[in-house]
Amino acid sequence: MPEGDSVYRLRQRLDAATTGERVRDGELRSGPAAGTSLAGRRIRGYDTHGKHLLTRFDDGTTLHTHLRMQGSWTLTRAGRALPTTVREKARVRLRLDDGRELWGLDLPVVELLPTAREVDAVGYFGPDPLREDWDAVEAVRRLSLSPARPFVAALLDQTRIAGLGNLWVNELAFLRGIHPFAPIGATDLDALVALAARCLRISATIPGMYQVTTGDRGKGRSHWVVGRAGRPCLRCGTRVRVREEVAGDPEQRRTWWCPRCQPMPPGADVGPPE
């Protein structure tokens, strides 16, 4: 699933390529406003909140989309057609005045709303480290509301802190040296939030560092635990473990950890069996 840094980078690419362009013709093909024409609108810019993309038009409307697991955006050159099998997945189409076409493919969330009402779509999310209104104190406060909640579940909850997906949650658990199913209150929340913000910003803005958590971009060495089930921990050599799903997570995401580098804190509930 794309994470906050993924969507932020997408926003930067779309912004550089299409902001200021007028839509010659195009439409929404899914969502509550399916069939709505977007012709005549000019793209004023883009914004993100967590994993959500906001495309703003000059008529005071915003297109709110979410990629989830399968969605993507692609921009084709003038005169170039998408393959039929790909076009069938189009949920948004924007043909620009210069002939290029912007396609939102297989998007599970497509919503058109007044720009002044964007809060209806993303206002309930927690602070986002990649936004100018980032509020670390508020993120810490929200995470501290349920100190007994498992680390992974707390950080995956976008109402606590926005933009962290499964990769970053697992890697942050390793970097903080805490078992992923330990209570979130067992770690220093101020230090955790500061680390999460720093990691996301580096990943989103520094060339060559996209989702590299070890500092090593070599094949198979860019992550401490994610994707390394059964392989030696890059720090201590202990076999990395994995659970097939996070308890209570509808996406049933995997969780990886090193049992030596990430011991369960003394006195804490052991959580799911290992």
Side-chain angles (χ1 to χ4, degrees):
M1 176 182 288
E3 313 215 2
D5 49 353
S6 313
V7 181
Y8 186 90
R9 283 180 171 240
L10 169 64
R11 165 200 168 183
Q12 290 181 312
R13 295 193 298 271
L14 292 176
D15 198 25
T18 67
T19 289
E21 296 291 336
R22 178 180 173 274
V23 180
R24 182 191 304 172
D25 62 76
E27 66 286 322
L28 304 182
R29 299 185 178 183
S30 69
T36 299
S37 172
L38 300 174
R41 307 179 200 222
R42 191 175 298 275
I43 299 173
R44 187 164 62 87
Y46 298 85
D47 200 359
T48 59
H49 195 128
K51 306 172 187 179
H52 295 250
L53 178 68
L54 303 169
T55 304
R56 295 174 179 146
F57 299 105
D58 64 349
D59 66 344
T61 60
T62 292
L63 176 61
H64 164 227
T65 56
H66 192 317
L67 305 180
R68 287 195 181 152
M69 292 293 289
Q70 72 276 19
S72 64
W73 285 88
T74 188
L75 182 65
T76 58
R77 297 191 300 271
R80 181 178 179 183
L82 284 178
T84 301
T85 54
V86 177
R87 290 174 65 95
E88 291 174 350
K89 297 180 180 180
R91 304 293 180 261
V92 179
R93 182 184 70 91
L94 302 172
R95 186 192 301 275
L96 308 178
D97 270 346
D98 61 7
R100 294 178 299 159
E101 285 187 286
L102 181 60
W103 301 85
L105 304 174
D106 216 5
L107 302 173
V109 176
V110 177
E111 177 186 17
L112 191 66
L113 70 161
T115 300
R117 299 293 300 275
E118 288 178 357
V119 66
D120 293 348
V122 297
Y124 62 94
F125 294 121
D128 178 350
L130 298 178
R131 290 179 56 85
E132 292 183 0
D133 58 2
W134 163 241
D135 187 340
V137 173
E138 176 63 10
V140 169
R141 186 192 72 80
R142 293 188 181 208
L143 287 169
S144 67
L145 293 175
S146 303
R149 197 174 187 188
F151 184 99
V152 288
L155 287 191
L156 286 172
D157 184 345
Q158 299 298 294
T159 68
R160 299 302 198 248
I161 179 173
L164 297 176
N166 204 42
L167 182 145
W168 279 114
V169 169
N170 280 266
E171 293 294 290
L172 286 168
F174 180 88
L175 290 169
R176 289 296 303 153
I178 190 166
H179 195 288
F181 296 112
I184 187 71
T187 191
D188 182 332
L189 292 179
D190 290 294
L192 170 64
V193 166
L195 177 62
R198 184 164 66 251
C199 286
L200 271 185
R201 289 170 184 163
I202 290 172
S203 180
T205 62
I206 296 182
M209 289 301 293
Y210 174 64
Q211 294 186 350
V212 175
T213 61
T214 61
D216 186 343
R217 291 183 290 172
K219 185 177 180 181
R221 300 186 62 84
S222 60
H223 302 145
W224 289 107
V225 289
V226 170
R228 294 186 57 81
R231 300 173 64 187
C233 171
L234 292 173
R235 177 180 292 166
C236 73
T238 304
R239 182 172 61 87
V240 173
R241 296 184 182 178
V242 65
R243 277 191 60 82
E244 291 302 317
E245 62 186 62
V246 176
D249 175 24
E251 303 291 344
Q252 297 187 342
R253 287 165 280 201
R254 292 182 174 185
T255 300
W256 296 265
W257 75 98
C258 170
R260 182 175 181 182
C261 294
Q262 298 169 259
M264 183 69 72
D269 293 335
V270 297
E274 299 180 3

